[in-house]
Amino acid sequence: MDLKLEVLVIPVSDVDRAKAFYEKLGFRPDADFPVGDSFRVVQVTPPGSEASIIFGNGVSAAAPGSAQGMHLIVTDIEAARAELLARGADVSEVWHDADGVFHHAGTENRVAGPHPDRADYGSFASFTDPDGNEWTLQEIVTRAPGR
């Protein structure tokens, strides 16, 4: 059985502001369906991704800004960071986790700079949208076997 991730729903407080932010970052606008004042669905897709995000009015009961730990995979973290900065995102410096396995929640165990061996899955940078929903860039050039 194939189970493919299609959509993540993220909570935002201002739909138009979120839409403008993601489009400025280069996310492709896929849909904007307003259904009255209390229901609106906006779907955008990160460049090169098969999965999309949805936000809007009435699509999530979660508090705006509460989405955490969403990862965007890049093959060159420094180039991706530079492009996002140029598009207006406030992206952190590149970092790696001291334990070298994944990364801890928050900023615990962060070490400045990319992974010392530039190991796949080991270098990160992060940014938030205007509501505080957290995105993490993760550098992967060669995926683990079976991926």
Side-chain angles (χ1 to χ4, degrees):
M1 166 181 14
D2 284 345
L3 299 174
K4 296 184 180 185
L5 182 62
E6 181 72 18
V7 171
L8 293 174
V9 177
I10 62 170
V12 302
S13 61
D14 183 320
V15 179
D16 290 321
R17 179 181 69 178
K19 183 178 178 188
F21 173 80
Y22 286 108
E23 287 182 8
K24 186 175 180 183
L25 295 188
F27 285 45
R28 181 186 71 231
D30 297 323
D32 188 342
F33 298 113
V35 184
D37 294 334
S38 62
F39 191 63
R40 179 179 175 190
V41 179
V42 175
Q43 179 174 314
V44 296
T45 302
S49 180
E50 292 185 28
S52 301
I53 62 171
I54 284 179
F55 50 86
N57 296 326
V59 298
S60 176
S66 62
Q68 306 293 303
M70 299 177 291
H71 282 62
L72 296 168
I73 304 309
V74 298
T75 56
D76 183 332
I77 198 153
E78 290 166 339
R81 178 181 180 273
E83 184 170 341
L84 288 169
L85 283 168
R87 290 175 173 265
D90 184 14
V91 186
S92 74
E93 295 291 332
V94 175
W95 50 272
H96 65 281
D97 191 85
D99 293 330
V101 177
F102 187 57
H103 61 81
H104 292 73
T107 59
E108 181 183 340
N109 259 26
R110 285 188 182 181
V111 179
H115 187 278
D117 299 326
R118 209 61 186 256
D120 288 317
Y121 300 90
S123 299
F124 307 92
S126 55
F127 68 94
T128 60
D129 72 8
D131 282 294
N133 293 304
E134 178 191 66
W135 293 93
T136 301
L137 303 177
Q138 183 177 26
E139 185 177 73
I140 303 172
V141 176
T142 304
R143 291 193 168 274
R147 297 288 325 253

